[in-house]
Amino acid sequence: MPPTQDLLQEAGHSTHESEFFNPVPKGYQPGKHKYVVVFGTVLSGLGKGIFSSSLAKLLKDKGLTIAPIKMEGYLNIDSGTLSPYRHGEVFVLDDGLETDMDLGTYERLLDQNLTRDNYTTSGQIFKRVLEKERHGGYLGRDVQMIPHVTGEVKYMLRELAMKQDADVVFIEVGGTVGDHENAFYIEALRQLAFEEGEGSVCYVALTYVIEPPALGEQKTKAAQLGLKKLLEAGVQPNIIAARAKNPVEQGAKEKVAMFSNVPMNRVFSMHDRDSVYTITESLRSEGMDREVLTMLNLHGRVDANHEDQAREEWRSFVRKVVADRKHKVKIGLTGKYAQLRDAYASIEKAVEHCGAHLNAKVEIDWIDTTLMKPDDAAATLKQYNGVIVPGGFGHRGTESKIACVQYCRENNLPYLGICLGFQMAVIDYARNVVGLKDAGSTEFDPNSPDPVIDILPEQKKIEGLGGNMRLGGKDVLIKKDSLAEMLFADEIDKKTSQIRARFRHRFEVDPKYINVLEQHGLVFSGRHPEQPIMQVLELPDHPYFIGGQFHPELTSRPIHPQPMFMGLVAAAIQHANPDLAPEKISTRWLRPQKPKAPASPAAS
Ligand code: GLN
């Protein structure tokens, strides 16, 4: 038995007799679970998330069970309070955790739902340690960064391995080696390899080879210094992935290899590519997956059939991504590009998935509704083939968003409303079809005379969520013979007629107004299975007009694109090519009947 297994079996508490502190969950089997750790060096913003999830996908494709975890250095307990302007979108997991966009990248690439165990922050770890301390959990010891905080990190990782029965726990450390805030993670991960023993942990260091334009050649000093920081922390990387603009040259690779003690066959060029979706295949063709399997003695657990099938499925998606597209459409998204691009990352991805599947190049234009007057809606929107009003908070720009919805509704322009965009559609309908001129939302006007959108804590109490945000995956009952039913045909649970969708909202349709809205033709085609909470709306006589109180973008995956986005892109193609037979676009995603003649034809 390797000495490290003794360590794992005997240790557990640090007392004055022993300096070892390896809290190990009960039943943990040493050697069963392996660990891959990705560190960033030199600088952030190198695409560590996309690289890590691509490598994790490669391993998953081999039939291995992967439990990814993103370890963030910040002290926030979760991402719920982070501004999207600073930190990109808040990605909501099915279990309701508000996390960051990197978890979205993992979910999309692994095509796997994650949970709150797949994400942690320094704040969460310190909270656990401090709570334990208050409960006398450290047997009279002074509580220290080492061994207690680091011990908590190792415990969490082993617990994750067991809970998700992982062949590989795939750890991505946030930030860059050298940051104060992630230093204890690095130390914990160093200890993890020591305790788990050889062949259990594989360290991958992402680095950056600079090519200053004035020199026109690749320079490795920054990479060397970055990697040295990792070595100083006691971590000998096993694999190096060198980001660069152009393929990393042999000489540069040699220098990197030589200064970091990593053999050449484990130094990989991770240069820029046209599509991030090609990363997995190129990592594979260069053999990075094979090196990881070798380091971790995992070749025996590979399922070759699974791998062939997963690769073929992925390749067929990538072929669609890189192909020249037959159709071209333009979608207007109400939001500010410069500030909000990352805030709407999942929407961009969802549109990208659907464009590839429907053979359309989809251009997204950003419409800043805070600068636009409501009267300008027609002039602004006439160039588009579809419009998305995404989620949002606060009143700025809402009148113009409502004007955009009205324009889409009256001009047969395909419309997808997401969360706030769903609520905007209800307000437009109440005002301009039902005739409740002052209809509004109490989010923007607490004294609204007709608050069709309101905060309804009593509804949420029924769900046990108090007056707070309604968060995470919930069931949605889909109406028979609706557009929603057609779109979700492959996802609807046949027994319950339900789908699952992810929510993040406080306000909703006030049930008092449901009847009058429906009497005037608005169809609520998705509802809470028991409560009068409206979750999907649509218009039967419109080519494509749909809204979700949830966030459909969060569940779109490259090989399982989200149906409401597929419907939107298909309808947008039809809008751009009114004379094209629907079969030439999609028989699956377009409604069979021809739409009625437009009230006032939209220019295209
Ligand atoms: N602000 C709205 C609400 O809280 C919409 C939220 C959202 O779009 N995510 O209900």
Side-chain angles (χ1 to χ4, degrees):
M1 182 161 42
T4 46
Q5 294 210 2
D6 287 340
L7 272 180
L8 283 181
Q9 276 161 18
E10 283 168 18
H13 299 296
S14 68
T15 63
H16 44 273
E17 286 104 44
S18 166
E19 286 307 315
F20 287 125
F21 179 67
N22 316 315
V24 176
K26 226 172 163 247
Y28 184 78
Q29 286 172 261
K32 180 169 182 217
H33 314 286
K34 309 282 183 165
Y35 299 82
V36 173
V37 185
V38 179
F39 296 107
T41 69
V42 185
L43 58 132
S44 60
L46 293 178
K48 177 151 51 81
I50 185 77
F51 163 73
S52 303
S53 27
S54 301
L55 181 56
K57 172 177 168 50
L58 263 188
L59 300 176
K60 179 175 178 175
D61 286 352
K62 295 175 190 296
L64 300 172
T65 304
I66 309 294
I69 179 166
K70 176 82 194 284
M71 308 195 100
E72 290 286 7
Y74 47 72
L75 287 165
N76 309 56
I77 301 288
D78 60 33
S79 301
T81 56
L82 292 179
S83 158
Y85 296 103
R86 272 187 73 86
H87 208 78
E89 118 190 313
V90 174
F91 192 88
V92 183
L93 301 183
D94 188 79
D95 66 8
L97 181 78
E98 294 176 286
T99 172
D100 73 28
M101 35 194 294
D102 285 336
L103 273 273
T105 310
Y106 281 104
E107 281 208 343
R108 282 188 282 268
L109 276 196
L110 295 177
D111 199 8
Q112 172 178 329
N113 276 0
L114 301 178
T115 73
R116 56 186 66 238
D117 297 324
N118 300 101
Y119 163 84
T120 195
T121 66
S122 299
Q124 278 187 40
I125 290 162
F126 294 144
K127 187 165 177 262
R128 281 166 70 135
V129 170
L130 294 177
E131 276 168 2
K132 231 184 237 178
E133 187 274 335
R134 289 292 79 190
H135 289 96
Y138 295 102
L139 306 177
R141 276 263 326 215
D142 41 344
V143 182
Q144 295 181 295
M145 289 297 280
I146 303 168
H148 303 105
V149 174
T150 48
E152 199 58 44
V153 174
K154 292 179 287 177
Y155 188 88
M156 242 182 182
L157 294 172
R158 292 181 176 130
E159 201 175 43
L160 171 66
M162 287 177 71
K163 260 196 190 168
Q164 301 190 356
D165 195 19
D167 288 305
V168 178
V169 176
F170 199 100
I171 303 152
E172 180 191 340
V173 181
T176 309
V177 177
D179 297 345
H180 279 293
E181 55 181 20
N182 65 21
F184 74 94
Y185 284 134
I186 300 172
E187 171 57 17
L189 293 160
R190 185 194 66 75
Q191 294 173 13
L192 184 77
F194 170 67
E195 291 165 10
E196 295 282 327
E198 238 171 82
S200 293
V201 180
C202 173
Y203 296 122
V204 182
L206 192 68
T207 194
Y208 186 47
V209 172
I210 303 171
E211 194 168 332
L215 298 179
E217 67 176 298
Q218 293 182 329
K219 305 297 279 181
T220 61
K221 183 62 98 194
Q224 289 173 42
L225 292 173
L227 293 164
K228 202 173 206 167
K229 274 247 164 270
L230 198 54
L231 291 164
E232 279 166 12
V235 171
Q236 168 62 61
N238 302 113
I239 289 179
I240 290 179
R243 287 282 293 118
K245 190 167 185 320
N246 297 305
V248 181
E249 288 152 14
Q250 181 75 2
K253 271 191 188 172
E254 282 170 4
K255 268 198 184 151
V256 169
M258 145 77 179
F259 284 103
S260 57
N261 310 310
V262 176
M264 280 295 279
N265 62 332
R266 292 196 188 143
V267 178
F268 296 88
S269 171
M270 277 288 305
H271 46 277
D272 292 352
R273 291 157 219 270
D274 289 341
S275 164
V276 294
Y277 298 114
T278 59
I279 294 176
T280 45
E281 270 303 299
S282 49
L283 291 180
R284 191 179 193 280
S285 64
E286 288 170 39
M288 191 184 287
D289 52 341
R290 196 181 52 233
E291 292 302 322
V292 174
L293 294 181
T294 305
M295 301 254 7
L296 298 176
N297 291 323
L298 278 175
H299 286 289
R301 295 193 208 175
V302 171
D303 175 345
N305 286 337
H306 188 281
E307 184 172 26
D308 288 346
Q309 212 180 319
R311 272 186 82 199
E312 193 35 56
E313 207 173 24
W314 190 250
R315 278 214 208 112
S316 109
F317 171 70
V318 174
R319 272 196 295 273
K320 290 177 194 160
V321 170
V322 297
D324 288 335
R325 312 284 169 89
K326 194 158 92 194
H327 310 293
K328 215 175 146 202
V329 298
K330 233 170 135 178
I331 297 219
L333 175 64
T334 62
K336 274 181 283 179
Y337 173 80
Q339 289 180 347
L340 289 180
R341 200 171 168 183
D342 270 0
Y344 295 130
S346 292
I347 294 184
E348 283 203 295
K349 289 288 162 203
V351 169
E352 188 175 286
H353 304 156
C354 298
H357 284 284
L358 290 165
N359 208 346
K361 187 169 165 6
V362 187
E363 194 185 312
I364 296 184
D365 254 8
W366 299 74
I367 304 166
D368 186 347
T369 42
T370 59
L371 300 177
M372 174 189 153
K373 291 196 206 63
D375 288 347
D376 297 340
T380 311
L381 298 187
K382 63 172 195 268
Q383 52 175 317
Y384 297 115
N385 309 113
V387 171
I388 301 174
V389 175
F393 294 83
H395 75 279
R396 273 163 44 92
T398 47
E399 284 307 315
S400 300
K401 287 178 188 165
I402 295 167
C404 288
V405 179
Q406 181 180 6
Y407 179 85
C408 293
R409 180 176 53 74
E410 292 177 348
N411 294 279
N412 282 345
L413 183 58
Y415 176 73
L416 171 60
I418 298 176
C419 206
L420 182 72
F422 165 96
Q423 298 171 357
M424 301 284 90
V426 174
I427 296 173
D428 160 54
Y429 212 80
R431 284 186 190 172
N432 302 314
V433 181
V434 180
L436 303 170
K437 288 281 165 257
D438 298 314
S441 162
T442 48
E443 182 176 9
F444 328 124
D445 176 8
N447 304 315
S448 168
D450 272 308
V452 288
I453 304 296
D454 202 355
I455 192 153
L456 295 161
E458 66 280 8
Q459 283 201 37
K460 290 177 196 102
K461 246 184 265 146
I462 302 165
E463 284 196 323
L465 285 160
N468 251 323
M469 215 86 94
R470 188 164 175 259
L471 281 172
K474 314 263 171 220
D475 296 329
V476 180
L477 180 67
I478 300 293
K479 194 183 173 82
K480 287 255 160 302
D481 303 322
S482 62
L483 170 64
E485 188 190 46
M486 176 211 108
L487 294 172
F488 287 108
D490 305 324
E491 291 184 19
I492 294 179
D493 181 304
K494 298 281 174 298
K495 277 204 219 89
T496 60
S497 303
Q498 291 172 12
I499 58 154
R500 197 155 172 88
R502 287 195 201 165
F503 292 80
R504 183 174 189 250
H505 68 123
R506 267 190 203 93
F507 295 80
E508 58 202 42
V509 180
D510 187 329
K512 281 204 302 272
Y513 293 95
I514 295 173
N515 266 346
V516 68
L517 288 161
E518 287 191 325
Q519 279 157 9
H520 285 81
L522 187 66
V523 173
F524 287 113
S525 51
R527 303 174 174 233
H528 185 291
E530 284 102 35
Q531 304 306 322
I533 305 179
M534 300 301 105
Q535 315 200 323
V536 184
L537 64 73
E538 61 187 69
L539 288 177
D541 294 329
H542 190 285
Y544 193 78
F545 190 101
I546 195 161
Q549 182 61 84
F550 48 84
H551 288 270
E553 73 277 20
L554 300 182
T555 48
S556 189
R557 310 264 167 90
I559 27 191
H560 295 113
Q562 206 281 339
M564 286 159 79
F565 281 90
M566 286 299 272
L568 176 77
V569 174
I573 299 172
Q574 192 167 50
H575 183 273
N577 306 281
D579 300 328
L580 197 63
E583 311 80 77
K584 297 254 155 67
I585 301 167
S586 164
T587 44
R588 169 67 185 88
W589 299 105
L590 286 174
R591 273 206 268 213
Q593 75 272 28
K594 263 230 149 284
K596 284 185 185 164
S600 57
S604 54

